[in-house]
PDB file of all heavy atoms in Angstrom:
ATOM      1  N   ASP A  68     111.453  40.315 -91.659  1.00  0.00           N
ATOM      2  CA  ASP A  68     111.130  40.031 -93.055  1.00  0.00           C
ATOM      3  C   ASP A  68     111.170  41.332 -93.849  1.00  0.00           C
ATOM      4  O   ASP A  68     110.742  42.377 -93.341  1.00  0.00           O
ATOM      5  CB  ASP A  68     109.720  39.428 -93.178  1.00  0.00           C
ATOM      6  CG  ASP A  68     109.680  37.996 -92.660  1.00  0.00           C
ATOM      7  OD1 ASP A  68     110.580  37.215 -93.006  1.00  0.00           O
ATOM      8  OD2 ASP A  68     108.750  37.668 -91.900  1.00  0.00           O
ATOM      9  N   ARG A 124     120.295  34.759 -92.132  1.00  0.00           N
ATOM     10  CA  ARG A 124     119.743  34.150 -90.924  1.00  0.00           C
ATOM     11  C   ARG A 124     120.807  33.205 -90.371  1.00  0.00           C
ATOM     12  O   ARG A 124     121.792  32.917 -91.047  1.00  0.00           O
ATOM     13  CB  ARG A 124     118.424  33.407 -91.163  1.00  0.00           C
ATOM     14  CG  ARG A 124     117.318  34.296 -91.748  1.00  0.00           C
ATOM     15  CD  ARG A 124     116.023  33.512 -91.850  1.00  0.00           C
ATOM     16  NE  ARG A 124     114.983  34.233 -92.550  1.00  0.00           N
ATOM     17  CZ  ARG A 124     114.057  34.967 -91.938  1.00  0.00           C
ATOM     18  NH1 ARG A 124     114.056  35.079 -90.621  1.00  0.00           N
ATOM     19  NH2 ARG A 124     113.131  35.588 -92.634  1.00  0.00           N
ATOM     20  N   ARG A 184     105.596  43.905-102.734  1.00  0.00           N
ATOM     21  CA  ARG A 184     105.644  42.495-103.132  1.00  0.00           C
ATOM     22  C   ARG A 184     104.282  42.013-103.635  1.00  0.00           C
ATOM     23  O   ARG A 184     104.206  41.023-104.356  1.00  0.00           O
ATOM     24  CB  ARG A 184     106.097  41.631-101.955  1.00  0.00           C
ATOM     25  CG  ARG A 184     107.566  41.841-101.618  1.00  0.00           C
ATOM     26  CD  ARG A 184     108.037  40.986-100.463  1.00  0.00           C
ATOM     27  NE  ARG A 184     109.477  41.229-100.250  1.00  0.00           N
ATOM     28  CZ  ARG A 184     110.231  40.526 -99.425  1.00  0.00           C
ATOM     29  NH1 ARG A 184     109.713  39.535 -98.731  1.00  0.00           N
ATOM     30  NH2 ARG A 184     111.517  40.801 -99.300  1.00  0.00           N
ATOM     31  N   LYS A 193     108.063  36.665-103.765  1.00  0.00           N
ATOM     32  CA  LYS A 193     108.692  36.908-102.465  1.00  0.00           C
ATOM     33  C   LYS A 193     107.656  37.056-101.359  1.00  0.00           C
ATOM     34  O   LYS A 193     108.006  37.097-100.186  1.00  0.00           O
ATOM     35  CB  LYS A 193     109.495  38.218-102.504  1.00  0.00           C
ATOM     36  CG  LYS A 193     110.799  38.143-103.251  1.00  0.00           C
ATOM     37  CD  LYS A 193     111.656  39.326-102.818  1.00  0.00           C
ATOM     38  CE  LYS A 193     112.486  39.867-103.937  1.00  0.00           C
ATOM     39  NZ  LYS A 193     113.139  41.120-103.582  1.00  0.00           N
ATOM     40  N   ALA A 195     104.925  36.023 -98.833  1.00  0.00           N
ATOM     41  CA  ALA A 195     104.367  34.852 -98.153  1.00  0.00           C
ATOM     42  C   ALA A 195     103.327  35.371 -97.171  1.00  0.00           C
ATOM     43  O   ALA A 195     103.619  36.288 -96.392  1.00  0.00           O
ATOM     44  CB  ALA A 195     105.471  34.096 -97.428  1.00  0.00           C
ATOM     45  N   ASP A 198     104.167  35.998 -93.668  1.00  0.00           N
ATOM     46  CA  ASP A 198     104.930  37.185 -93.247  1.00  0.00           C
ATOM     47  C   ASP A 198     104.019  38.172 -92.499  1.00  0.00           C
ATOM     48  O   ASP A 198     104.486  38.935 -91.653  1.00  0.00           O
ATOM     49  CB  ASP A 198     105.558  37.897 -94.459  1.00  0.00           C
ATOM     50  CG  ASP A 198     106.702  37.081 -95.077  1.00  0.00           C
ATOM     51  OD1 ASP A 198     107.094  36.056 -94.473  1.00  0.00           O
ATOM     52  OD2 ASP A 198     107.191  37.461 -96.154  1.00  0.00           O
TER      53      ASP A 198
HETATM   54 MG1  LIG B   2     110.763  35.371 -96.130  1.00  0.00          MG
END
Side-chain angles (χ1 to χ4, degrees):
D68 288 314
R124 302 184 187 265
R184 290 181 178 188
K193 285 198 215 171
D198 290 352

